[in-house]
Amino acid sequence: MFGLIFLGIVVVLGGFILSKYNGFVTLRNRYENAWAQINVELKRRYDLIPNLVNAVKGYMTHEKDIFENVAKARSSAMQSNTVAEHAETEAQLTKTLKSLFAVMENYPELKANENVMKLQEELTSTENRISFSRQFYNDIVMRFNQEIQLFPGNIIAGFFNFRKQDYFQVNEAEVQEAPKVNL
Protein backbone atom coordinates (compact mmCIF):
# COMPACT_ATOMS: atom_id res chain seq x y z
CA MET A 1 0.00 0.00 0.00
CA PHE A 2 2.80 2.39 0.93
CA GLY A 3 4.49 1.63 -2.41
CA LEU A 4 1.36 2.62 -4.35
CA ILE A 5 1.01 5.88 -2.45
CA PHE A 6 4.69 6.65 -3.03
CA LEU A 7 4.35 5.77 -6.72
CA GLY A 8 1.27 7.98 -6.97
CA ILE A 9 3.13 10.91 -5.40
CA VAL A 10 6.09 10.40 -7.76
CA VAL A 11 3.79 10.29 -10.80
CA VAL A 12 1.91 13.44 -9.74
CA LEU A 13 5.15 15.26 -8.92
CA GLY A 14 6.72 14.12 -12.21
CA GLY A 15 3.65 15.26 -14.10
CA PHE A 16 3.78 18.64 -12.39
CA ILE A 17 7.49 19.09 -13.17
CA LEU A 18 6.95 18.00 -16.77
CA SER A 19 4.02 20.40 -17.11
CA LYS A 20 6.03 23.33 -15.71
CA TYR A 21 9.04 22.50 -17.89
CA ASN A 22 6.86 22.36 -21.01
CA GLY A 23 5.28 25.68 -20.02
CA PHE A 24 8.73 27.28 -19.75
CA VAL A 25 9.77 25.87 -23.13
CA THR A 26 6.54 27.13 -24.70
CA LEU A 27 7.06 30.64 -23.30
CA ARG A 28 10.73 30.61 -24.36
CA ASN A 29 9.72 29.68 -27.89
CA ARG A 30 7.09 32.41 -27.91
CA TYR A 31 9.52 35.15 -26.83
CA GLU A 32 12.12 33.89 -29.32
CA ASN A 33 9.46 34.04 -32.05
CA ALA A 34 8.42 37.52 -30.91
CA TRP A 35 12.06 38.63 -31.08
CA ALA A 36 12.31 37.18 -34.59
CA GLN A 37 9.26 39.26 -35.59
CA ILE A 38 10.92 42.39 -34.21
CA ASN A 39 13.99 41.58 -36.29
CA VAL A 40 11.85 41.25 -39.42
CA GLU A 41 10.43 44.73 -38.85
CA LEU A 42 13.84 46.19 -37.97
CA LYS A 43 15.26 44.74 -41.20
CA ARG A 44 12.42 46.37 -43.12
CA ARG A 45 13.24 49.66 -41.38
CA TYR A 46 16.93 49.33 -42.19
CA ASP A 47 16.06 48.72 -45.86
CA LEU A 48 13.74 51.73 -46.06
CA ILE A 49 16.16 54.24 -44.53
CA PRO A 50 18.73 54.31 -47.38
CA ASN A 51 15.90 54.66 -49.90
CA LEU A 52 14.53 57.66 -48.03
CA VAL A 53 17.98 59.22 -47.65
CA ASN A 54 18.69 58.78 -51.37
CA ALA A 55 15.31 60.27 -52.28
CA VAL A 56 15.93 63.45 -50.29
CA LYS A 57 19.68 63.82 -50.87
CA GLY A 58 19.23 65.73 -54.11
CA TYR A 59 17.08 68.33 -52.41
CA MET A 60 19.15 68.63 -49.27
CA THR A 61 22.66 69.21 -50.63
CA HIS A 62 23.88 71.14 -47.56
CA GLU A 63 22.87 68.53 -44.99
CA LYS A 64 25.75 66.06 -45.34
CA ASP A 65 26.19 65.65 -41.55
CA ILE A 66 22.63 64.45 -41.08
CA PHE A 67 23.01 61.80 -43.78
CA GLU A 68 26.26 60.59 -42.22
CA ASN A 69 24.65 60.43 -38.75
CA VAL A 70 21.71 58.43 -40.10
CA ALA A 71 24.09 56.03 -41.88
CA LYS A 72 26.20 55.56 -38.74
CA ALA A 73 23.16 55.00 -36.53
CA ARG A 74 21.67 52.52 -39.02
CA SER A 75 24.95 50.61 -39.24
CA SER A 76 25.29 50.50 -35.47
CA ALA A 77 21.71 49.27 -35.05
CA MET A 78 22.20 46.54 -37.64
CA GLN A 79 25.26 45.23 -35.76
CA SER A 80 23.53 44.99 -32.36
CA ASN A 81 23.38 41.53 -30.84
CA THR A 82 21.61 41.65 -27.48
CA VAL A 83 18.21 43.03 -26.60
CA ALA A 84 19.83 45.82 -24.56
CA GLU A 85 22.16 46.75 -27.45
CA HIS A 86 19.23 46.80 -29.86
CA ALA A 87 17.25 49.08 -27.55
CA GLU A 88 20.17 51.50 -27.23
CA THR A 89 21.07 51.61 -30.93
CA GLU A 90 17.43 51.82 -32.01
CA ALA A 91 16.99 54.83 -29.73
CA GLN A 92 19.95 56.52 -31.41
CA LEU A 93 18.61 55.68 -34.87
CA THR A 94 15.21 57.11 -33.98
CA LYS A 95 16.87 60.33 -32.79
CA THR A 96 18.79 60.72 -36.04
CA LEU A 97 15.66 60.05 -38.08
CA LYS A 98 13.81 62.71 -36.11
CA SER A 99 16.55 65.20 -36.92
CA LEU A 100 16.35 64.22 -40.61
CA PHE A 101 12.58 64.73 -40.61
CA ALA A 102 12.95 68.06 -38.85
CA VAL A 103 15.39 69.32 -41.49
CA MET A 104 13.20 67.95 -44.28
CA GLU A 105 10.44 70.31 -43.19
CA ASN A 106 12.64 73.19 -44.39
CA TYR A 107 12.42 71.91 -47.97
CA PRO A 108 8.94 72.55 -49.37
CA GLU A 109 9.78 70.85 -52.67
CA LEU A 110 9.99 67.56 -50.79
CA LYS A 111 6.32 67.89 -49.90
CA ALA A 112 5.46 67.53 -53.57
CA ASN A 113 7.73 64.50 -54.15
CA GLU A 114 5.51 61.43 -54.30
CA ASN A 115 8.42 59.01 -53.81
CA VAL A 116 9.50 60.74 -50.59
CA MET A 117 5.95 60.76 -49.30
CA LYS A 118 5.52 57.02 -49.98
CA LEU A 119 8.82 56.21 -48.29
CA GLN A 120 7.88 58.26 -45.25
CA GLU A 121 4.51 56.55 -45.09
CA GLU A 122 6.20 53.14 -45.28
CA LEU A 123 8.69 54.12 -42.58
CA THR A 124 5.92 55.38 -40.30
CA SER A 125 3.97 52.16 -40.84
CA THR A 126 7.09 50.14 -40.05
CA GLU A 127 7.71 52.16 -36.89
CA ASN A 128 4.19 51.31 -35.75
CA ARG A 129 4.71 47.61 -36.45
CA ILE A 130 8.00 47.70 -34.53
CA SER A 131 6.19 49.29 -31.61
CA PHE A 132 3.47 46.62 -31.61
CA SER A 133 6.04 43.82 -31.98
CA ARG A 134 8.09 45.24 -29.13
CA GLN A 135 5.00 45.39 -26.93
CA PHE A 136 4.13 41.77 -27.75
CA TYR A 137 7.72 40.67 -27.06
CA ASN A 138 7.77 42.49 -23.73
CA ASP A 139 4.43 40.92 -22.74
CA ILE A 140 5.76 37.42 -23.44
CA VAL A 141 9.04 38.15 -21.63
CA MET A 142 7.06 39.44 -18.64
CA ARG A 143 5.03 36.20 -18.51
CA PHE A 144 8.18 34.10 -18.86
CA ASN A 145 10.06 36.05 -16.17
CA GLN A 146 7.07 35.87 -13.87
CA GLU A 147 6.70 32.11 -14.32
CA ILE A 148 10.36 31.40 -13.58
CA GLN A 149 10.32 33.62 -10.48
CA LEU A 150 7.15 32.31 -8.83
CA PHE A 151 7.24 29.35 -6.46
CA PRO A 152 7.45 26.44 -7.23
CA GLY A 153 8.33 27.28 -10.82
CA ASN A 154 11.50 29.04 -9.67
CA ILE A 155 12.88 25.74 -8.36
CA ILE A 156 12.14 23.93 -11.61
CA ALA A 157 13.41 26.86 -13.71
CA GLY A 158 16.65 26.95 -11.74
CA PHE A 159 17.14 23.21 -12.10
CA PHE A 160 16.66 23.39 -15.90
CA ASN A 161 18.67 26.64 -16.22
CA PHE A 162 15.89 28.95 -17.43
CA ARG A 163 17.07 32.54 -16.92
CA LYS A 164 15.33 35.89 -16.73
CA GLN A 165 15.15 37.69 -20.09
CA ASP A 166 15.64 41.38 -20.87
CA TYR A 167 12.84 43.63 -22.02
CA PHE A 168 13.18 45.63 -25.23
CA GLN A 169 12.96 49.09 -23.68
CA VAL A 170 13.73 52.53 -25.01
CA ASN A 171 15.20 54.42 -22.07
CA GLU A 172 15.36 57.95 -23.46
CA ALA A 173 12.10 59.88 -23.14
CA GLU A 174 12.52 61.83 -26.39
CA VAL A 175 12.71 58.66 -28.49
CA GLN A 176 9.92 56.67 -26.89
CA GLU A 177 7.54 57.74 -29.63
CA ALA A 178 7.69 56.81 -33.29
CA PRO A 179 9.20 59.54 -35.46
CA LYS A 180 6.58 62.01 -36.62
CA VAL A 181 6.41 62.45 -40.36
CA ASN A 182 4.92 65.83 -41.18
CA LEU A 183 5.37 67.06 -44.73
Side-chain angles (χ1 to χ4, degrees), residues 12-176:
V12 168
L13 187 60
F16 175 76
I17 291 171
L18 182 64
S19 173
K20 278 302 219 184
Y21 176 83
N22 288 341
F24 294 149
V25 169
T26 299
L27 286 172
R28 180 183 60 201
N29 290 340
R30 288 188 74 198
Y31 78 69
E32 287 174 351
N33 179 56
W35 183 250
Q37 295 305 314
I38 289 173
N39 279 331
V40 166
E41 295 304 330
L42 292 176
K43 171 80 168 94
R44 177 179 163 80
R45 181 187 198 201
Y46 302 150
D47 291 344
L48 284 170
I49 290 170
N51 294 334
L52 178 64
V53 168
N54 288 332
V56 300
K57 246 182 191 175
Y59 295 97
M60 300 169 58
T61 56
H62 303 294
E63 311 296 345
K64 185 177 176 185
D65 290 343
I66 290 177
F67 298 132
E68 288 175 2
N69 290 341
V70 169
K72 284 179 193 174
R74 177 182 173 266
S75 176
S76 179
M78 290 175 67
Q79 295 174 9
S80 300
N81 293 318
T82 66
V83 174
E85 286 176 4
H86 269 290
E88 184 179 326
T89 58
E90 288 301 318
Q92 186 60 39
L93 181 56
T94 299
K95 281 174 69 173
T96 60
L97 285 174
K98 283 183 177 187
S99 66
L100 174 64
F101 292 146
V103 171
M104 286 172 61
E105 291 180 12
N106 297 329
Y107 294 86
E109 60 272 12
L110 285 175
K111 293 178 184 180
N113 187 310
E114 189 174 321
N115 189 33
V116 171
M117 290 173 58
K118 281 184 180 180
L119 286 168
Q120 286 184 314
E121 185 177 308
E122 285 288 320
L123 190 57
T124 300
S125 172
T126 300
E127 295 290 341
N128 288 334
R129 286 197 297 268
I130 291 169
S131 178
F132 291 128
S133 296
R134 184 174 58 224
Q135 179 181 355
F136 179 72
Y137 170 81
N138 286 340
D139 288 346
I140 297 297
V141 166
M142 189 250 336
R143 280 192 56 209
F144 178 80
N145 288 343
Q146 186 177 20
E147 288 293 322
I148 67 169
Q149 291 172 347
L150 293 174
F151 181 80
N154 60 347
I155 296 169
I156 298 165
F159 183 75
F160 289 107
N161 205 27
F162 287 99
R163 299 286 176 237
K164 186 177 176 189
Q165 298 301 305
D166 292 331
Y167 292 103
F168 188 1
Q169 302 183 93
V170 179
N171 295 322
E172 298 179 40
E174 68 267 13
V175 295
Q176 288 184 350

